[in-house]
Amino acid sequence: MQFLRFPILVQKEILGNLKLEDLVVLSSCSKRTNYSIQATEKPRLRKIKTIRYGLSDSESIDICAFSDTFSGVEMYIGIEYDAWERLDLTPMEVFGISRVDTWRPNTFSEKEEFDTVRRTFIIEGIHNCLLDLFGSSVNYEIRSYDRQLPPSLTNIKNSYIGSFAVTDAEKLEACFRNSPNQENIVLNGMGPLKLCQNSVINQTEYLMISCFETCGDDILGSFEGKSLNLISVHLQQASITKLLNDWKSDLGFRNLKFLSIRHSFNENWNIVKIMEDSGVRRLVDYSVLKWKERTMPTVLRGHNEWKERRIVTRKYVDRDSDGERAFVHISPREFYFVVGSSAEITNGGHWFNW
């Protein structure tokens, strides 16, 4: 490549006047070009802390990069697959991947398969290119509203999968095969949803599932992370009783710090029975608990990653082994569980606001 024959100072001057989007494409030309960009543009590359993939349909992908200040989009790459083909140039070729569309679909099912394969190759190719340039320490995220599930990529830390994806448990599990230990996963509107047994999704630190008519008992019983938010699920009150008794006796849920459940089943929970069967006690005064919960920003906006949550309650349970206290709020259709040492606690207040 002729560019690499220029003196280092000339290369630095040229690269310094290019946008990040241009550097990404240029970095895919060769490993030597990639190394040159990394060496001369290290301060600019290190500013990027988050790269987010937005999949809104099967025909396009939006890629946004944000700095640690989230002051705005530092880099934006928008790809429409068909538009590239009309120019007889595919994103796969730009990012160093050979064509996969060696045949043309004739039927709807063939087109579906063709689109899936093409889309997967493109996204994987771009992701690998960005990994080579920015490194694995960047926070890579997927936000998908597609009717298809997103491909499984390495080094993904946060995922949002929206309402148009299928709900097959094994296919959903496959999405996280290459990034099993994610920090935050949101599964929204795909219900009724069922996870695989011993699913890696249960190991997520922050997990939110908002899927109408989903059975939440197995999800709650298998969760191993820090924060679980279940919305519009069916959940038996026996599962809440078991959670509280297991936590008190140190038989499970050791990692759990925050839990919220919004129950959608026709039958209301029996608050008195839950309290009796699990030994929930009452304080004389109310306690106000505040903590931060993970949220998933939009594709193009990088701020508001954390949201303040708050409850006011007198109800609590203590763990037998170490005296750790967890506060609970129970209503006929809502349940909240907060470990006291993980929240900010103040006294007073006679209201509840979630």
Side-chain angles (χ1 to χ4, degrees):
M1 186 178 182
Q2 296 295 325
F3 170 77
L4 296 174
R5 296 183 179 181
F6 292 129
I8 296 297
L9 290 178
V10 176
Q11 292 183 29
K12 186 174 182 179
E13 184 69 21
I14 294 173
L15 295 175
N17 285 281
L18 294 179
K19 296 180 179 180
L20 276 176
E21 294 90 331
D22 301 322
L23 294 181
V24 169
V25 176
L26 188 61
S27 71
S28 67
C29 294
S30 69
K31 289 185 177 180
R32 287 185 61 201
T33 307
N34 186 68
Y35 294 152
S36 176
I37 294 172
Q38 289 178 324
T40 58
E41 295 298 307
K42 183 180 294 185
R44 190 151 51 132
L45 297 179
R46 284 185 172 179
K47 284 178 58 179
I48 300 303
K49 302 301 181 182
T50 298
I51 293 178
R52 185 171 302 135
Y53 303 106
L55 310 176
S56 57
D57 55 55
S58 296
E59 300 299 328
S60 64
I61 175 175
D62 296 303
I63 305 166
C64 297
F66 303 91
S67 65
D68 53 354
T69 60
F70 286 114
S71 57
V73 178
E74 301 285 346
M75 179 188 76
Y76 172 77
I77 299 175
I79 295 176
E80 294 183 10
Y81 310 147
D82 289 340
W84 288 64
E85 285 192 348
R86 287 194 295 270
L87 298 174
D88 197 30
L89 180 67
T90 71
M92 294 88 78
E93 291 174 319
V94 170
F95 291 98
I97 307 170
S98 60
R99 278 182 176 269
V100 296
D101 51 333
T102 56
W103 58 279
R104 289 293 175 179
N106 295 315
T107 65
F108 178 80
S109 60
E110 286 182 348
K111 185 179 187 308
E112 194 79 8
E113 179 184 355
F114 170 79
D115 288 342
T116 301
V117 172
R118 178 181 61 168
R119 171 179 176 271
T120 299
F121 267 75
I122 292 172
I123 296 172
E124 287 179 346
I126 295 172
H127 181 59
N128 290 334
C129 178
L130 294 175
L131 270 175
D132 288 341
L133 182 61
F134 292 97
S136 59
S137 62
V138 171
N139 178 37
Y140 293 93
E141 301 180 348
I142 286 182
R143 190 175 180 94
S144 174
Y145 292 101
D146 201 348
R147 67 177 183 272
Q148 300 182 50
L149 290 167
S152 181
L153 304 176
T154 58
N155 289 98
I156 298 296
K157 296 182 181 178
N158 301 295
S159 295
Y160 176 104
I161 301 180
S163 58
F164 298 107
V166 297
T167 57
D168 181 89
E170 293 183 358
K171 290 182 179 179
L172 181 62
E173 186 74 10
C175 293
F176 305 97
R177 181 179 60 249
N178 292 326
S179 296
N181 299 311
Q182 297 194 25
E183 180 182 334
N184 185 31
I185 293 178
V186 178
L187 305 175
N188 184 17
M190 297 188 301
L193 177 71
K194 185 175 179 62
L195 303 183
C196 289
Q197 188 175 9
N198 300 320
S199 172
V200 297
I201 297 174
N202 290 320
Q203 301 169 18
T204 306
E205 189 172 358
Y206 295 86
L207 176 61
M208 175 186 289
I209 296 179
S210 177
C211 301
F212 188 67
E213 295 186 346
T214 291
C215 179
D217 301 277
D218 291 339
I219 297 173
L220 174 60
S222 302
F223 185 65
E224 301 175 11
K226 178 179 180 179
S227 175
L228 177 62
N229 192 345
L230 299 176
I231 303 172
S232 299
V233 300
H234 290 177
L235 194 121
Q236 302 295 326
Q237 70 179 43
S239 296
I240 295 178
T241 302
K242 186 178 188 307
L243 159 77
L244 294 172
N245 285 325
D246 285 356
W247 186 86
K248 283 171 50 184
S249 304
D250 217 359
L251 297 176
F253 303 100
R254 185 78 186 187
N255 297 327
L256 185 65
K257 306 300 180 185
F258 312 108
L259 169 65
S260 65
I261 303 172
R262 299 181 190 179
H263 169 58
S264 65
F265 197 55
N266 291 332
E267 182 179 349
N268 290 339
W269 292 323
N270 187 325
I271 300 173
V272 174
K273 183 166 178 57
I274 291 175
M275 293 182 63
E276 289 177 350
D277 292 347
S278 58
V280 174
R281 302 174 183 177
R282 283 190 178 94
L283 295 168
V284 175
D285 297 321
Y286 283 90
S287 295
V288 181
L289 291 92
K290 299 178 183 179
W291 70 97
K292 298 288 187 180
E293 184 177 85
R294 280 298 305 263
T295 62
M296 184 64 74
T298 62
V299 174
L300 296 175
R301 302 182 68 180
H303 58 283
N304 297 331
E305 282 196 323
W306 297 90
K307 180 179 180 180
E308 182 177 285
R309 310 310 297 262
R310 177 166 54 183
I311 62 170
V312 178
T313 184
R314 292 191 301 162
K315 302 180 182 69
Y316 72 95
V317 291
D318 289 336
R319 189 157 55 198
D320 298 335
S321 61
D322 56 7
E324 176 73 89
R325 176 162 294 180
F327 293 82
V328 299
H329 171 86
I330 312 172
S331 72
R333 290 181 177 270
E334 294 182 334
F335 175 78
Y336 305 104
F337 171 96
V338 181
V339 175
S341 61
S342 299
E344 176 187 336
I345 305 175
T346 55
N347 293 327
H350 299 279
W351 44 265
F352 172 78
N353 182 22
W354 184 258

